DNA sequence: CTGGATCCCGTATGATACTG
DNA sequence: CAGTATCATACGGGATCCAG
């Protein structure tokens, strides 16, 4: 038996053998947003040593979770269908871990891909289905994301564009998502800065994206 | 920053910092079944070194996931409410890992607690709600479990007792759960041995407990 | 006997430098 | 850009030992 196996005939055990190693599920998190090149993955996980990144990519490939795909002269890594089935796991972990997030510390960064998955985690399709289609352009730290909500469908893409509401926020956005901070208070205190559009649309945003706090 | 932190302000990252260490989620898995003593946890994870077990229990306690509770002179470890909120994570992982379980190897064991959580993972409350209440007494390797299904409610307890259907099975039970093996074929080939009750009740069992295969 | 603590060692991880 | 090579260290694994 391989040394790192748990020696149990059990689905949870098997899952942890495949994606339980350090950094593995964070790579899956970023690849759930879309295919990524090696350097993009490294940029999204600045603290991963490059040898570990290479090792994980190889292991996840051997496990059938991702594949290397040539895209016109460059290699991108993309999840296989089996790898994409990890999305419920990642979202469940994100919702659980959200409650244990304190206030951000200086050295903690926010990446576009992690923010995208956080928005997917917080998205409430049943609530959104009853609201008008809305486009939000957000600047969350270094992440510029265009968030399109149309009925129960959510699409988050990088970059800018025309939007019903454009706003910038720091990590304090967490308190808006958790409901600890009301939308109007968030604007009044400067946690959220409305750059364009009607500020009342932030109410809709907070209704659409919500996660229970601790 | 602690060396083992990922340096990102992200719920998934936070979750992995709390329960991403080796063995941690397996301890949670067993504690989701019920409070356990130190020696019971060690017995359920025969390959965990005792120092690691002690270290994990301390870390999980510091993280607010479990607590030490004195129960009439002995200490038991039990999940806190926040720890119990990991159940969706564990079930999602179990369902995903189920698809990657091959055939069992000799050194792979089945424990009562892991089997209990596997049954919870495979349980289909919406299907069970339309079926009569049923008690199954199962012997799955070393695990004797009494499985009570009543409407959409499932209760799995250790031990024996009166049941509508009593059966024994080895790890081949996986192919029954996945639908690869029909209930009558499972009995005919000896994968499942009916010890008491009408064998047709195994159909009901297979309808109630089902997980998609690869 | 339970519930650990201690010791030693191997391996995985991490930091950094280097290369096709 | 996409990794590989090298070295230091911290964690995991196994055996043993200890206190209540």
């Amino acid at each position: 038996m391989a040394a790192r196996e748990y020696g149990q005939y059990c689905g949870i055990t098997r899952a942890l053998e495949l994606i339980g190693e350090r950094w593995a599920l964070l790579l899956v998190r970023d690849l759930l947003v879309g295919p990524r090149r090696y350097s993009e993955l490294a940029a999204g996980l600045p603290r991963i040593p490059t040898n570990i990144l290479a090792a994980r990519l190889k292991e996840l490939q051997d496990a059938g979770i991702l594949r290397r795909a040539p895209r016109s002269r460059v290699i991108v890594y993309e999840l296989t269908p089996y790898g994409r089935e990890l999305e419920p796991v990642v979202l469940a972990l994100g919702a659980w871990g959200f409650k244990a997030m304190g206030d951000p510390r200086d050295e903690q960064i926010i990446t576009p891909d992690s923010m995208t998955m956080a928005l997917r985690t917080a998205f409430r399709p049943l609530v959104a289905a009853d609201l008008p289609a809305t486009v939000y352009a957000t600047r969350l730290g270094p992440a510029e994301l265009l968030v399109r909500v149309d009925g129960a469908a959510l699409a988050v893409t990088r970059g800018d564009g025309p939007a019903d509401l454009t706003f910038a926020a720091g990590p304090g956005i967490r308190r808006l998502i958790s409901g600890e901070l009301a939308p109007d208070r968030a604007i009044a205190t400067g946690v959220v800065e409305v750059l364009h559009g009607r500020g009342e649309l932030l109410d809709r945003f907070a209704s659409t994206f919500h996660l229970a706090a601790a």
Side-chain angles (χ1 to χ4, degrees), chain A:
Chain A
M1 162 168 36
R4 307 293 293 180
E5 297 189 3
Y6 289 103
Q8 303 201 351
Y9 191 64
C10 157
I12 298 158
T13 303
R14 188 80 189 105
L16 290 175
E17 286 166 357
L18 296 178
I19 48 79
E21 303 285 308
R22 201 165 157 72
W23 299 104
L25 217 48
L26 295 181
L27 288 170
V28 172
R29 176 197 70 183
D30 288 359
L31 288 173
L32 278 169
V33 178
R36 291 286 179 268
R37 305 169 57 157
Y38 187 93
S39 52
E40 293 172 323
L41 292 171
L45 264 16
R47 295 173 62 87
I48 193 175
T50 158
N51 57 341
I52 300 294
L53 174 55
R56 288 292 170 278
L57 289 173
K58 214 163 294 178
E59 293 159 13
L60 292 172
Q61 189 182 352
D62 291 345
I65 293 166
L66 58 79
R67 69 167 73 92
R68 298 173 50 138
R71 285 275 202 286
S72 67
R73 298 192 54 79
V74 299
I75 299 273
V76 298
Y77 295 88
E78 63 182 10
L79 294 179
T80 64
Y82 188 50
R84 281 195 293 275
E85 290 179 29
L86 279 167
E87 175 152 1
V89 173
V90 172
L91 295 184
L93 264 177
W96 184 84
F98 180 82
K99 301 190 181 187
M101 292 171 71
D103 286 319
R105 296 199 307 280
D106 286 345
E107 76 279 8
Q108 290 186 314
I109 64 169
I110 294 181
T111 67
D113 287 348
S114 76
M115 195 64 216
T116 299
M117 291 309 294
L119 287 171
R120 282 203 211 167
T121 305
F123 183 58
R124 298 197 290 181
L126 295 181
V127 171
D130 291 334
L131 293 170
T134 313
V135 177
Y136 308 91
T138 67
R139 291 163 205 181
L140 304 161
E144 280 203 351
L145 298 176
L146 205 57
V147 181
R148 293 191 184 82
V149 178
D150 189 354
L154 166 68
V156 182
T157 54
R158 294 171 81 148
D160 206 345
D164 300 299
L165 176 68
T166 301
F167 66 90
I173 185 87
R174 179 186 142 269
R175 305 164 69 83
L176 180 69
I177 300 286
S178 72
E180 295 168 80
L181 187 63
D184 56 346
R185 292 293 303 153
I187 295 175
T189 58
V191 167
V192 170
E193 184 187 358
V194 173
L195 302 173
H196 177 263
R198 294 186 302 117
E200 305 89 66
L201 282 176
L202 196 62
D203 285 325
R204 193 184 293 173
F205 180 85
S207 302
T208 304
F209 298 94
H210 178 78
L211 273 174

